[in-house]
Structure formats: structure tokens, C-alpha cells
Amino acid sequence: MESKNFFVEQVRKIQNDLIAGLQSEDPSIRIKETNWERKDFLGHPGGGGRTVALEGEVIENAGVNTSLIFGGVNPEFAKKLGSETPEVWATGISTIIHPKNPRVPSFHANFRMIQSGEKIWFGGGADLTPFYPNEEDFRFFHQKWKNACDPYQVYESMKQSCDEYFVNSHRGTEMRGIGGIFFDYWNSGNMDHDMKMVTELSETLVPSYLPLVNKRKNEKYTEADEDFQLHRRGRYVEFNLIHDRGTTFGLQTGGNTDSILISLPARCKFTYQYQPEPGSPHEKMMEYYQPKDWTAL
Amino acid sequence: MESKNFFVEQVRKIQNDLIAGLQSEDPSIRIKETNWERKDFLGHPGGGGRTVALEGEVIENAGVNTSLIFGGVNPEFAKKLGSETPEVWATGISTIIHPKNPRVPSFHANFRMIQSGEKIWFGGGADLTPFYPNEEDFRFFHQKWKNACDPYQVYESMKQSCDEYFVNSHRGTEMRGIGGIFFDYWNSGNMDHDMKMVTELSETLVPSYLPLVNKRKNEKYTEADEDFQLHRRGRYVEFNLIHDRGTTFGLQTGGNTDSILISLPARCKFTYQYQPEPGSPHEKMMEYYQPKDWTAL
């Protein structure tokens, strides 16, 4: 199907756009690129991917990965996917960005297309993890995604899915960040329509986030700001290793561990019964890690 | 049963011994003690525990916890335990110690006794996570546990269980540390014998570890030593959140999150494709995170 190849090119384009954007925001950035190949379940060539790790003064660590895999899969896995055909085709982009300055939010996004037998679906989303209560940034981010979703009338539902997904449920209702959008097993029955929607959403990845890097990267910050950021990065680690489906599934099924765990922040902290200072901006920030109607605020 | 009360007292004694020992090694240590109570599945009093968090100059962070719980449990949980009676009685001590100096190993141990219906069993173990290739320390640690195990001829099997358990299987055969002993669902059919064995093992907790703190705590260390330690602590976090049964089970069943995650190190690092410097002691140390016949070296 031609549109599959189109989407492969689209995720590669977004990967390049994002890397170029990060280089532009952080000229100190160093790139470590790994091109990997995969054998399929039967030992045949099964595609591969491009893992790009970045480290710099502004962007402490980031990963911008794409992959295109195909071929045989474990028949039990195919059944889990709801397919009788033990074959899969999948492509996608996944990124996670941890800036050094605690006034710049961390960011995660991914978009993917999967086919197994007769079934085709899309998945993905984007979410923001800020560490300082700059409410205007949160509104900016959500508004960007609302604008991209509105032609398809999916913002409300995708925002809600995101609010439900990124919860550290072992810590009650506390979210990893302030959400964004999230969708999975997406198939409206109209492939062209879905492809157009997901392509447009993927085009929002860069402009929803890089302006926030640009705006905040030179802001002065305090030791207390950094301490709070490092503890919230600890919660990020908790979410990714305990709850995130992609991470736990990837590690259990023998995925490339380094590529999967590129999502973890370079540094983080854990403290027993951690609490931000009463009356601090960080205590205020804790209130934002709950679902809110951002674009109406 | 009288022996149950005996074991409750034993774990409380070891808790106090260990806290006193840590205070003696680190006079700067600050203690945060939390006594918590539990309601059972039916809302009745169900026991509780004493969580003791410690932070100091020598001991960067540590937890020394005991608990005694009883009463109704979720009937499905009881079935998982192999019991038809939806009641449980359990007591135990659990500790994890992360010293600041990378020349001092981190340490973990726990001992517990559990009864559900007619079934009674013991579980526990102790394992060491060093960051510097001081082989004599590793032999000291294993010899202590071998000496404690030898009267019961269980060292070989408990060491092997430990080597098999503390593996970061998403990173091949790499272990969290250098092992020690590990046992679970232990019931030889002779309750008095088992109680005597586990009591003696628990008496080895303090003398297997504190001498290493004393010996190494004032050793000078380099920035490279600390960088390696922080990355290995990252692997510690990976193990605990991805693989450790106690942690994942506790978080899934609504345990006290702060008490469970007291095991995480205060600071840690994650780097894409992390590798210690070629030819460094840290590269050498990587060879030790594999099963070895320590007491024969």
C-alpha cells in the first residue's frame, strides 16, 4: 500500500526536523547515531531503525528514534495484537527530551502505524513534563495540540486518554507531567482520513515544543529549582519503568535495551517522603500534575 | 504459636542492632521514623510496621523496615499464595543501604516469615552491590554467609538462587551486584529447624556488612569512581522497578509507596550506551557482576 511508504517517509522527515531544531537551539549538542537491523521471528531480515542520542549544554539528554520493522513475529504475540497472521509491519517515531535548565519542560512524543494481517491502526501522542509553574507555557502546549486536533474533533478524547495514561498510579492520581494527547489502536475505518490526521498531528511535534526551549533555555534558575526537577525526573523514571506499556513491553520482548531506556533522564534523585518546600513555586507546581482544562484557563 | 512471636521479636532486634550500627559508623546520620498501621481486607486492624529512613554523610540514604501484618486478605491473593484461607500473618525485616563513598558497597537484605492458612514459610536473603573491584571484600561477604549457611548445608543452593534472582535480564546476564544468598517459600517440614536457621541467618546481617562500611568509608575516591557508582545505582533502580518481585507486587497491591521505594538510591545517572572507561577499575568491576565461586577464589 502506497500510503504506508508515505508514512515511513513522514516519520523520517519529522526525525530530521526535530534533530535540526534541537541543534539550532543547542549548538553544543553532540550526536550519537546508531543504525540497527532486526531479524524477524524466523531469522529473516526484519527491518531496523535509527536511534539518535543527543547530549548538550541546553539539552542534557534526548533520544529521537525511528524504526521500520516487518516480517514474522511470535504467533502468540500476533494473537495478543488480535491478528491471526503471525506477521507485523510497523513504523514510527519516538522522542524524549530532557533539557538541563529546570525552567524548560521535558517532552515526549511518538507516532506510529502498525499493520498485522488485515488490521491496521495508528497510535501516538505528545505530553509535556514541566518543573516550574509557568502556566502560559502549559496553555501554549495544549493549544497547539488542540489546534491540530480540532479539524478531526479528537482533542477532548485524546487529551482525556493522555490524562488517564500518564498517571503514577502507585502515587494516587499524580500524573507524570501536565499531559497532552494520547491515542492507541486508532482506526476510524477510513484509512486516508486517519493517515491525514496522524500526519498533521506529527507536524505539530516540533512547533509544540521547541518554542518553549527557545523561550526558557537562558532563564536563571535556583538550586531549589534543580532539586525539584531532579526529583520529578525520578518520578519520570518510576512511570517509565513501572507503568509505560512501550517500555515494559519492549524490555520483556527482547527489544534493544539501550534504545528503549534512552527515555531515562541523565540525572535524577529519590528521597524518602519527598516534599517540595511549603510556599515554594515547586509546591505550587505539584497542583498542575492533575488533569486540567488547559485551553479554557 | 509461640515461635511466631519469637520471630517478631527477632526481626525487631535486628532492626535495632542495624540502626545502632549505622549510627555508630555515621554519627551525622539523621533518622526519620514512621510507624504505620494497616487495615485488613475487611477493614479490621491488620497490624503495621516501623519504617526507619536514614540519611547522613557516610550513609547517603538507607531504609531499615520491619512489619507485622495479619488478618483478612483478598481471597484471590490468598489463592495465589496457595492457600484456601483468605487470611495471612507475616512479619519481616527489610533493609537497603546506599553509602555515599563509591568504595563502600551498597547492601540489601531481608528476612520474613509468612503464614496463610495451614501453610508457613520463610523467605529472605542478603546481597552486596559493590562499585569498586576490591575482591577481598566480596570474599569476606560471601564467606560470612557461607559460614552461617554451612550448618544447614544451604549455601550452594541459596547462593545459586541469588545469582539467578538479581539479574537485570533486559541487559543479558548482568547482575545487580555480586549476589549473596536468596531463598523463598522455604519450609523443610521441620518448623523448629527452619526457625533456627533463619534466625541464625538474620544474625549475620549486621556482621556481614558493617565491617565493610568501617573499612572503606574514609577511603579517598575519584570523580570517575562516583560517576560509575551513580550509573550502577541507575541499574539498581532498573532492577528494583522492573524485576524485583517485592517492589512490583507491593506497588500493584496498594502497599505504602514511600516505604517500598525507600530502596531507591538518593542520586543516580542514566547514559545512553554507558560504558566505563577502558582499562579502568570500573571496567574491571563489570566482570564481577556475574556468578562466581567467591569462597573458592
Side-chain angles (χ1 to χ4, degrees), chain A residues 34 51 53 170 242 251 257-258 264-270 272-273, chain B residues 32 34 51 53 170 242 251 257-258 264-270 272-273:
Chain A
T34 312
T51 298
H170 62 287
I242 299 172
L251 294 176
T257 294
D258 278 309
L264 302 181
R267 295 171 299 141
C268 65
K269 281 191 179 179
F270 299 98
Y272 177 68
Q273 290 184 340
Chain B
K32 196 186 237 181
T34 312
T51 298
H170 62 287
I242 299 172
L251 294 176
T257 293
D258 279 307
L264 301 181
R267 296 171 298 142
C268 64
K269 281 190 178 180
F270 299 97
Y272 177 68
Q273 291 184 338

PDB file of all heavy atoms in Angstrom, chain A residues 34 51 53 170 242 251 257-258 264-270 272-273, chain B residues 32 34 51 53 170 242 251 257-258 264-270 272-273:
ATOM      1  N   THR A  34      22.926   5.495  15.985  1.00  0.00           N
ATOM      2  CA  THR A  34      23.061   4.045  15.831  1.00  0.00           C
ATOM      3  C   THR A  34      22.016   3.557  14.845  1.00  0.00           C
ATOM      4  O   THR A  34      20.818   3.762  15.050  1.00  0.00           O
ATOM      5  CB  THR A  34      22.824   3.333  17.186  1.00  0.00           C
ATOM      6  OG1 THR A  34      23.592   3.982  18.197  1.00  0.00           O
ATOM      7  CG2 THR A  34      23.221   1.861  17.103  1.00  0.00           C
ATOM      8  N   THR A  51      18.538   5.140  15.811  1.00  0.00           N
ATOM      9  CA  THR A  51      18.483   5.707  17.159  1.00  0.00           C
ATOM     10  C   THR A  51      19.455   6.874  17.211  1.00  0.00           C
ATOM     11  O   THR A  51      20.637   6.706  16.928  1.00  0.00           O
ATOM     12  CB  THR A  51      18.901   4.650  18.195  1.00  0.00           C
ATOM     13  OG1 THR A  51      17.974   3.557  18.148  1.00  0.00           O
ATOM     14  CG2 THR A  51      18.921   5.223  19.595  1.00  0.00           C
ATOM     15  N   ALA A  53      20.909   9.628  19.751  1.00  0.00           N
ATOM     16  CA  ALA A  53      21.027  10.136  21.117  1.00  0.00           C
ATOM     17  C   ALA A  53      21.732  11.479  21.069  1.00  0.00           C
ATOM     18  O   ALA A  53      22.711  11.643  20.341  1.00  0.00           O
ATOM     19  CB  ALA A  53      21.817   9.149  21.969  1.00  0.00           C
ATOM     20  N   HIS A 170       0.770   4.333  41.458  1.00  0.00           N
ATOM     21  CA  HIS A 170       1.272   3.943  42.788  1.00  0.00           C
ATOM     22  C   HIS A 170       1.447   5.165  43.681  1.00  0.00           C
ATOM     23  O   HIS A 170       1.813   5.031  44.850  1.00  0.00           O
ATOM     24  CB  HIS A 170       2.585   3.165  42.653  1.00  0.00           C
ATOM     25  CG  HIS A 170       3.702   3.950  42.040  1.00  0.00           C
ATOM     26  ND1 HIS A 170       3.744   4.266  40.713  1.00  0.00           N
ATOM     27  CD2 HIS A 170       4.811   4.507  42.579  1.00  0.00           C
ATOM     28  CE1 HIS A 170       4.844   4.968  40.455  1.00  0.00           C
ATOM     29  NE2 HIS A 170       5.496   5.131  41.567  1.00  0.00           N
ATOM     30  N   ILE A 242       7.799   1.399  35.564  1.00  0.00           N
ATOM     31  CA  ILE A 242       6.706   0.645  36.197  1.00  0.00           C
ATOM     32  C   ILE A 242       5.482   0.570  35.296  1.00  0.00           C
ATOM     33  O   ILE A 242       4.857  -0.476  35.169  1.00  0.00           O
ATOM     34  CB  ILE A 242       6.304   1.280  37.552  1.00  0.00           C
ATOM     35  CG1 ILE A 242       7.495   1.268  38.515  1.00  0.00           C
ATOM     36  CG2 ILE A 242       5.108   0.561  38.160  1.00  0.00           C
ATOM     37  CD1 ILE A 242       7.252   2.054  39.808  1.00  0.00           C
ATOM     38  N   LEU A 251      11.044  -4.211  26.849  1.00  0.00           N
ATOM     39  CA  LEU A 251      12.074  -4.901  27.630  1.00  0.00           C
ATOM     40  C   LEU A 251      11.747  -6.383  27.790  1.00  0.00           C
ATOM     41  O   LEU A 251      12.635  -7.233  27.781  1.00  0.00           O
ATOM     42  CB  LEU A 251      12.224  -4.251  29.010  1.00  0.00           C
ATOM     43  CG  LEU A 251      12.762  -2.814  29.004  1.00  0.00           C
ATOM     44  CD1 LEU A 251      12.779  -2.242  30.415  1.00  0.00           C
ATOM     45  CD2 LEU A 251      14.159  -2.744  28.397  1.00  0.00           C
ATOM     46  N   THR A 257      17.613  -2.698  24.483  1.00  0.00           N
ATOM     47  CA  THR A 257      17.501  -2.050  25.790  1.00  0.00           C
ATOM     48  C   THR A 257      17.996  -0.610  25.766  1.00  0.00           C
ATOM     49  O   THR A 257      17.347   0.288  26.313  1.00  0.00           O
ATOM     50  CB  THR A 257      18.258  -2.872  26.854  1.00  0.00           C
ATOM     51  OG1 THR A 257      17.589  -4.125  27.009  1.00  0.00           O
ATOM     52  CG2 THR A 257      18.302  -2.158  28.189  1.00  0.00           C
ATOM     53  N   ASP A 258      19.140  -0.374  25.134  1.00  0.00           N
ATOM     54  CA  ASP A 258      19.663   0.993  25.114  1.00  0.00           C
ATOM     55  C   ASP A 258      18.713   1.948  24.401  1.00  0.00           C
ATOM     56  O   ASP A 258      18.511   3.078  24.853  1.00  0.00           O
ATOM     57  CB  ASP A 258      21.050   1.023  24.462  1.00  0.00           C
ATOM     58  CG  ASP A 258      22.144   0.638  25.452  1.00  0.00           C
ATOM     59  OD1 ASP A 258      22.185   1.224  26.543  1.00  0.00           O
ATOM     60  OD2 ASP A 258      22.935  -0.268  25.136  1.00  0.00           O
ATOM     61  N   LEU A 264      15.238   7.604  29.705  1.00  0.00           N
ATOM     62  CA  LEU A 264      15.505   7.978  31.104  1.00  0.00           C
ATOM     63  C   LEU A 264      16.356   9.242  31.176  1.00  0.00           C
ATOM     64  O   LEU A 264      17.220   9.465  30.345  1.00  0.00           O
ATOM     65  CB  LEU A 264      16.185   6.818  31.830  1.00  0.00           C
ATOM     66  CG  LEU A 264      15.387   5.508  31.843  1.00  0.00           C
ATOM     67  CD1 LEU A 264      16.126   4.433  32.613  1.00  0.00           C
ATOM     68  CD2 LEU A 264      13.989   5.704  32.402  1.00  0.00           C
ATOM     69  N   PRO A 265      16.115  10.071  32.182  1.00  0.00           N
ATOM     70  CA  PRO A 265      16.873  11.318  32.318  1.00  0.00           C
ATOM     71  C   PRO A 265      18.308  11.045  32.770  1.00  0.00           C
ATOM     72  O   PRO A 265      18.557  10.085  33.492  1.00  0.00           O
ATOM     73  CB  PRO A 265      16.110  12.068  33.412  1.00  0.00           C
ATOM     74  CG  PRO A 265      15.456  10.998  34.214  1.00  0.00           C
ATOM     75  CD  PRO A 265      15.140   9.896  33.255  1.00  0.00           C
ATOM     76  N   ALA A 266      19.241  11.907  32.349  1.00  0.00           N
ATOM     77  CA  ALA A 266      20.665  11.704  32.645  1.00  0.00           C
ATOM     78  C   ALA A 266      20.937  11.641  34.144  1.00  0.00           C
ATOM     79  O   ALA A 266      21.766  10.858  34.596  1.00  0.00           O
ATOM     80  CB  ALA A 266      21.485  12.826  32.018  1.00  0.00           C
ATOM     81  N   ARG A 267      20.257  12.493  34.893  1.00  0.00           N
ATOM     82  CA  ARG A 267      20.444  12.514  36.348  1.00  0.00           C
ATOM     83  C   ARG A 267      19.073  12.548  37.003  1.00  0.00           C
ATOM     84  O   ARG A 267      18.152  13.171  36.474  1.00  0.00           O
ATOM     85  CB  ARG A 267      21.190  13.782  36.799  1.00  0.00           C
ATOM     86  CG  ARG A 267      22.632  13.925  36.323  1.00  0.00           C
ATOM     87  CD  ARG A 267      23.149  15.325  36.655  1.00  0.00           C
ATOM     88  NE  ARG A 267      22.351  16.338  35.968  1.00  0.00           N
ATOM     89  CZ  ARG A 267      21.984  17.496  36.488  1.00  0.00           C
ATOM     90  NH1 ARG A 267      22.324  17.820  37.718  1.00  0.00           N
ATOM     91  NH2 ARG A 267      21.253  18.349  35.791  1.00  0.00           N
ATOM     92  N   CYS A 268      18.958  11.923  38.181  1.00  0.00           N
ATOM     93  CA  CYS A 268      17.714  12.084  38.926  1.00  0.00           C
ATOM     94  C   CYS A 268      17.942  11.792  40.400  1.00  0.00           C
ATOM     95  O   CYS A 268      19.007  11.325  40.793  1.00  0.00           O
ATOM     96  CB  CYS A 268      16.609  11.209  38.354  1.00  0.00           C
ATOM     97  SG  CYS A 268      16.928   9.466  38.511  1.00  0.00           S
ATOM     98  N   LYS A 269      16.939  12.108  41.193  1.00  0.00           N
ATOM     99  CA  LYS A 269      17.031  11.937  42.649  1.00  0.00           C
ATOM    100  C   LYS A 269      15.798  11.229  43.192  1.00  0.00           C
ATOM    101  O   LYS A 269      14.691  11.381  42.652  1.00  0.00           O
ATOM    102  CB  LYS A 269      17.116  13.313  43.336  1.00  0.00           C
ATOM    103  CG  LYS A 269      18.479  13.977  43.299  1.00  0.00           C
ATOM    104  CD  LYS A 269      18.481  15.186  44.244  1.00  0.00           C
ATOM    105  CE  LYS A 269      19.822  15.875  44.273  1.00  0.00           C
ATOM    106  NZ  LYS A 269      19.797  17.056  45.173  1.00  0.00           N
ATOM    107  N   PHE A 270      16.024  10.486  44.266  1.00  0.00           N
ATOM    108  CA  PHE A 270      14.926   9.868  45.017  1.00  0.00           C
ATOM    109  C   PHE A 270      15.136  10.177  46.493  1.00  0.00           C
ATOM    110  O   PHE A 270      16.232   9.958  47.013  1.00  0.00           O
ATOM    111  CB  PHE A 270      14.926   8.348  44.827  1.00  0.00           C
ATOM    112  CG  PHE A 270      14.730   7.911  43.401  1.00  0.00           C
ATOM    113  CD1 PHE A 270      15.813   7.578  42.609  1.00  0.00           C
ATOM    114  CD2 PHE A 270      13.460   7.853  42.849  1.00  0.00           C
ATOM    115  CE1 PHE A 270      15.639   7.177  41.289  1.00  0.00           C
ATOM    116  CE2 PHE A 270      13.280   7.450  41.525  1.00  0.00           C
ATOM    117  CZ  PHE A 270      14.366   7.111  40.747  1.00  0.00           C
ATOM    118  N   TYR A 272      13.139   9.714  50.345  1.00  0.00           N
ATOM    119  CA  TYR A 272      12.010   9.170  51.113  1.00  0.00           C
ATOM    120  C   TYR A 272      11.061  10.289  51.529  1.00  0.00           C
ATOM    121  O   TYR A 272      11.491  11.300  52.074  1.00  0.00           O
ATOM    122  CB  TYR A 272      12.558   8.452  52.348  1.00  0.00           C
ATOM    123  CG  TYR A 272      11.509   7.900  53.278  1.00  0.00           C
ATOM    124  CD1 TYR A 272      10.696   6.842  52.894  1.00  0.00           C
ATOM    125  CD2 TYR A 272      11.329   8.446  54.542  1.00  0.00           C
ATOM    126  CE1 TYR A 272       9.732   6.335  53.752  1.00  0.00           C
ATOM    127  CE2 TYR A 272      10.370   7.939  55.413  1.00  0.00           C
ATOM    128  CZ  TYR A 272       9.572   6.889  55.012  1.00  0.00           C
ATOM    129  OH  TYR A 272       8.621   6.389  55.862  1.00  0.00           O
ATOM    130  N   GLN A 273       9.783  10.111  51.270  1.00  0.00           N
ATOM    131  CA  GLN A 273       8.744  11.089  51.613  1.00  0.00           C
ATOM    132  C   GLN A 273       9.077  12.486  51.116  1.00  0.00           C
ATOM    133  O   GLN A 273       8.914  13.483  51.833  1.00  0.00           O
ATOM    134  CB  GLN A 273       8.512  11.111  53.134  1.00  0.00           C
ATOM    135  CG  GLN A 273       7.829   9.857  53.642  1.00  0.00           C
ATOM    136  CD  GLN A 273       7.500   9.922  55.128  1.00  0.00           C
ATOM    137  OE1 GLN A 273       8.092  10.724  55.870  1.00  0.00           O
ATOM    138  NE2 GLN A 273       6.579   9.102  55.580  1.00  0.00           N
TER     139      GLN A 273
ATOM    140  N   LYS B  32      14.434   9.397  60.203  1.00  0.00           N
ATOM    141  CA  LYS B  32      13.020   9.747  60.039  1.00  0.00           C
ATOM    142  C   LYS B  32      12.238   8.451  60.245  1.00  0.00           C
ATOM    143  O   LYS B  32      12.321   7.529  59.441  1.00  0.00           O
ATOM    144  CB  LYS B  32      12.800  10.281  58.622  1.00  0.00           C
ATOM    145  CG  LYS B  32      11.510  11.032  58.422  1.00  0.00           C
ATOM    146  CD  LYS B  32      11.345  11.383  56.938  1.00  0.00           C
ATOM    147  CE  LYS B  32      11.181  12.862  56.685  1.00  0.00           C
ATOM    148  NZ  LYS B  32      11.004  13.172  55.241  1.00  0.00           N
ATOM    149  N   THR B  34       8.735   6.317  60.807  1.00  0.00           N
ATOM    150  CA  THR B  34       7.295   6.332  60.561  1.00  0.00           C
ATOM    151  C   THR B  34       6.701   5.027  61.065  1.00  0.00           C
ATOM    152  O   THR B  34       7.099   3.943  60.633  1.00  0.00           O
ATOM    153  CB  THR B  34       6.980   6.448  59.051  1.00  0.00           C
ATOM    154  OG1 THR B  34       7.774   7.499  58.496  1.00  0.00           O
ATOM    155  CG2 THR B  34       5.520   6.735  58.808  1.00  0.00           C
ATOM    156  N   THR B  51       8.907   2.025  59.722  1.00  0.00           N
ATOM    157  CA  THR B  51       9.799   2.389  58.629  1.00  0.00           C
ATOM    158  C   THR B  51      10.814   3.392  59.160  1.00  0.00           C
ATOM    159  O   THR B  51      10.435   4.431  59.698  1.00  0.00           O
ATOM    160  CB  THR B  51       8.999   3.026  57.478  1.00  0.00           C
ATOM    161  OG1 THR B  51       8.070   2.066  56.978  1.00  0.00           O
ATOM    162  CG2 THR B  51       9.920   3.469  56.344  1.00  0.00           C
ATOM    163  N   ALA B  53      13.923   5.643  57.960  1.00  0.00           N
ATOM    164  CA  ALA B  53      14.755   6.170  56.872  1.00  0.00           C
ATOM    165  C   ALA B  53      15.939   6.897  57.482  1.00  0.00           C
ATOM    166  O   ALA B  53      15.778   7.631  58.461  1.00  0.00           O
ATOM    167  CB  ALA B  53      13.938   7.120  56.010  1.00  0.00           C
ATOM    168  N   HIS B 170      16.991  -7.724  31.199  1.00  0.00           N
ATOM    169  CA  HIS B 170      16.901  -6.894  29.992  1.00  0.00           C
ATOM    170  C   HIS B 170      18.287  -6.425  29.554  1.00  0.00           C
ATOM    171  O   HIS B 170      18.413  -5.742  28.541  1.00  0.00           O
ATOM    172  CB  HIS B 170      15.961  -5.708  30.230  1.00  0.00           C
ATOM    173  CG  HIS B 170      16.411  -4.778  31.317  1.00  0.00           C
ATOM    174  ND1 HIS B 170      16.346  -5.101  32.648  1.00  0.00           N
ATOM    175  CD2 HIS B 170      16.965  -3.546  31.263  1.00  0.00           C
ATOM    176  CE1 HIS B 170      16.819  -4.090  33.370  1.00  0.00           C
ATOM    177  NE2 HIS B 170      17.211  -3.151  32.552  1.00  0.00           N
ATOM    178  N   ILE B 242      11.784  -2.808  37.635  1.00  0.00           N
ATOM    179  CA  ILE B 242      11.363  -3.711  36.548  1.00  0.00           C
ATOM    180  C   ILE B 242      11.210  -5.155  37.034  1.00  0.00           C
ATOM    181  O   ILE B 242      10.253  -5.832  36.695  1.00  0.00           O
ATOM    182  CB  ILE B 242      12.376  -3.683  35.380  1.00  0.00           C
ATOM    183  CG1 ILE B 242      12.471  -2.276  34.787  1.00  0.00           C
ATOM    184  CG2 ILE B 242      11.991  -4.691  34.294  1.00  0.00           C
ATOM    185  CD1 ILE B 242      13.587  -2.110  33.758  1.00  0.00           C
ATOM    186  N   LEU B 251       3.749  -2.444  44.911  1.00  0.00           N
ATOM    187  CA  LEU B 251       3.165  -1.263  44.262  1.00  0.00           C
ATOM    188  C   LEU B 251       1.825  -1.604  43.619  1.00  0.00           C
ATOM    189  O   LEU B 251       0.903  -0.799  43.618  1.00  0.00           O
ATOM    190  CB  LEU B 251       4.130  -0.696  43.217  1.00  0.00           C
ATOM    191  CG  LEU B 251       5.436  -0.112  43.781  1.00  0.00           C
ATOM    192  CD1 LEU B 251       6.347   0.337  42.644  1.00  0.00           C
ATOM    193  CD2 LEU B 251       5.169   1.047  44.740  1.00  0.00           C
ATOM    194  N   THR B 257       3.761   3.248  49.237  1.00  0.00           N
ATOM    195  CA  THR B 257       4.744   3.546  48.186  1.00  0.00           C
ATOM    196  C   THR B 257       6.056   4.087  48.752  1.00  0.00           C
ATOM    197  O   THR B 257       7.137   3.665  48.337  1.00  0.00           O
ATOM    198  CB  THR B 257       4.145   4.542  47.169  1.00  0.00           C
ATOM    199  OG1 THR B 257       3.079   3.875  46.484  1.00  0.00           O
ATOM    200  CG2 THR B 257       5.181   4.994  46.150  1.00  0.00           C
ATOM    201  N   ASP B 258       5.973   5.012  49.709  1.00  0.00           N
ATOM    202  CA  ASP B 258       7.217   5.570  50.254  1.00  0.00           C
ATOM    203  C   ASP B 258       8.060   4.505  50.943  1.00  0.00           C
ATOM    204  O   ASP B 258       9.277   4.494  50.792  1.00  0.00           O
ATOM    205  CB  ASP B 258       6.907   6.719  51.230  1.00  0.00           C
ATOM    206  CG  ASP B 258       6.640   8.018  50.490  1.00  0.00           C
ATOM    207  OD1 ASP B 258       7.486   8.398  49.663  1.00  0.00           O
ATOM    208  OD2 ASP B 258       5.599   8.638  50.723  1.00  0.00           O
ATOM    209  N   LEU B 264      15.280   2.943  46.733  1.00  0.00           N
ATOM    210  CA  LEU B 264      15.968   3.612  45.622  1.00  0.00           C
ATOM    211  C   LEU B 264      17.088   4.512  46.135  1.00  0.00           C
ATOM    212  O   LEU B 264      16.975   5.121  47.196  1.00  0.00           O
ATOM    213  CB  LEU B 264      14.954   4.415  44.797  1.00  0.00           C
ATOM    214  CG  LEU B 264      13.818   3.585  44.210  1.00  0.00           C
ATOM    215  CD1 LEU B 264      12.877   4.459  43.392  1.00  0.00           C
ATOM    216  CD2 LEU B 264      14.337   2.436  43.366  1.00  0.00           C
ATOM    217  N   PRO B 265      18.177   4.615  45.383  1.00  0.00           N
ATOM    218  CA  PRO B 265      19.311   5.439  45.804  1.00  0.00           C
ATOM    219  C   PRO B 265      18.988   6.929  45.691  1.00  0.00           C
ATOM    220  O   PRO B 265      18.217   7.329  44.815  1.00  0.00           O
ATOM    221  CB  PRO B 265      20.410   5.054  44.814  1.00  0.00           C
ATOM    222  CG  PRO B 265      19.675   4.597  43.595  1.00  0.00           C
ATOM    223  CD  PRO B 265      18.414   3.957  44.091  1.00  0.00           C
ATOM    224  N   ALA B 266      19.595   7.731  46.558  1.00  0.00           N
ATOM    225  CA  ALA B 266      19.298   9.169  46.605  1.00  0.00           C
ATOM    226  C   ALA B 266      19.583   9.859  45.276  1.00  0.00           C
ATOM    227  O   ALA B 266      18.841  10.738  44.852  1.00  0.00           O
ATOM    228  CB  ALA B 266      20.102   9.830  47.721  1.00  0.00           C
ATOM    229  N   ARG B 267      20.688   9.463  44.628  1.00  0.00           N
ATOM    230  CA  ARG B 267      21.062  10.059  43.343  1.00  0.00           C
ATOM    231  C   ARG B 267      21.436   8.938  42.391  1.00  0.00           C
ATOM    232  O   ARG B 267      22.015   7.933  42.808  1.00  0.00           O
ATOM    233  CB  ARG B 267      22.306  10.965  43.483  1.00  0.00           C
ATOM    234  CG  ARG B 267      22.133  12.199  44.359  1.00  0.00           C
ATOM    235  CD  ARG B 267      23.507  12.852  44.584  1.00  0.00           C
ATOM    236  NE  ARG B 267      24.392  11.926  45.302  1.00  0.00           N
ATOM    237  CZ  ARG B 267      25.683  11.782  45.063  1.00  0.00           C
ATOM    238  NH1 ARG B 267      26.285  12.497  44.132  1.00  0.00           N
ATOM    239  NH2 ARG B 267      26.402  10.900  45.744  1.00  0.00           N
ATOM    240  N   CYS B 268      21.164   9.113  41.114  1.00  0.00           N
ATOM    241  CA  CYS B 268      21.657   8.142  40.141  1.00  0.00           C
ATOM    242  C   CYS B 268      21.726   8.778  38.765  1.00  0.00           C
ATOM    243  O   CYS B 268      21.249   9.893  38.555  1.00  0.00           O
ATOM    244  CB  CYS B 268      20.803   6.881  40.129  1.00  0.00           C
ATOM    245  SG  CYS B 268      19.121   7.148  39.593  1.00  0.00           S
ATOM    246  N   LYS B 269      22.365   8.051  37.860  1.00  0.00           N
ATOM    247  CA  LYS B 269      22.569   8.549  36.497  1.00  0.00           C
ATOM    248  C   LYS B 269      22.188   7.488  35.466  1.00  0.00           C
ATOM    249  O   LYS B 269      22.328   6.286  35.716  1.00  0.00           O
ATOM    250  CB  LYS B 269      24.055   8.887  36.271  1.00  0.00           C
ATOM    251  CG  LYS B 269      24.514  10.212  36.846  1.00  0.00           C
ATOM    252  CD  LYS B 269      25.926  10.525  36.334  1.00  0.00           C
ATOM    253  CE  LYS B 269      26.426  11.864  36.836  1.00  0.00           C
ATOM    254  NZ  LYS B 269      27.790  12.144  36.324  1.00  0.00           N
ATOM    255  N   PHE B 270      21.741   7.983  34.307  1.00  0.00           N
ATOM    256  CA  PHE B 270      21.480   7.111  33.157  1.00  0.00           C
ATOM    257  C   PHE B 270      22.128   7.748  31.928  1.00  0.00           C
ATOM    258  O   PHE B 270      21.916   8.932  31.667  1.00  0.00           O
ATOM    259  CB  PHE B 270      19.977   6.974  32.907  1.00  0.00           C
ATOM    260  CG  PHE B 270      19.214   6.365  34.047  1.00  0.00           C
ATOM    261  CD1 PHE B 270      18.559   7.173  34.963  1.00  0.00           C
ATOM    262  CD2 PHE B 270      19.153   4.991  34.209  1.00  0.00           C
ATOM    263  CE1 PHE B 270      17.846   6.620  36.029  1.00  0.00           C
ATOM    264  CE2 PHE B 270      18.447   4.432  35.266  1.00  0.00           C
ATOM    265  CZ  PHE B 270      17.797   5.240  36.186  1.00  0.00           C
ATOM    266  N   TYR B 272      22.927   6.904  27.735  1.00  0.00           N
ATOM    267  CA  TYR B 272      22.744   6.013  26.575  1.00  0.00           C
ATOM    268  C   TYR B 272      24.040   5.267  26.270  1.00  0.00           C
ATOM    269  O   TYR B 272      25.092   5.876  26.173  1.00  0.00           O
ATOM    270  CB  TYR B 272      22.303   6.855  25.378  1.00  0.00           C
ATOM    271  CG  TYR B 272      22.146   6.083  24.093  1.00  0.00           C
ATOM    272  CD1 TYR B 272      21.137   5.143  23.948  1.00  0.00           C
ATOM    273  CD2 TYR B 272      23.006   6.306  23.024  1.00  0.00           C
ATOM    274  CE1 TYR B 272      20.994   4.437  22.765  1.00  0.00           C
ATOM    275  CE2 TYR B 272      22.866   5.612  21.835  1.00  0.00           C
ATOM    276  CZ  TYR B 272      21.855   4.672  21.714  1.00  0.00           C
ATOM    277  OH  TYR B 272      21.710   3.979  20.540  1.00  0.00           O
ATOM    278  N   GLN B 273      23.962   3.963  26.130  1.00  0.00           N
ATOM    279  CA  GLN B 273      25.121   3.120  25.823  1.00  0.00           C
ATOM    280  C   GLN B 273      26.284   3.378  26.773  1.00  0.00           C
ATOM    281  O   GLN B 273      27.446   3.474  26.348  1.00  0.00           O
ATOM    282  CB  GLN B 273      25.566   3.318  24.363  1.00  0.00           C
ATOM    283  CG  GLN B 273      24.570   2.753  23.368  1.00  0.00           C
ATOM    284  CD  GLN B 273      25.070   2.866  21.928  1.00  0.00           C
ATOM    285  OE1 GLN B 273      25.932   3.683  21.622  1.00  0.00           O
ATOM    286  NE2 GLN B 273      24.522   2.042  21.049  1.00  0.00           N
TER     287      GLN B 273
END
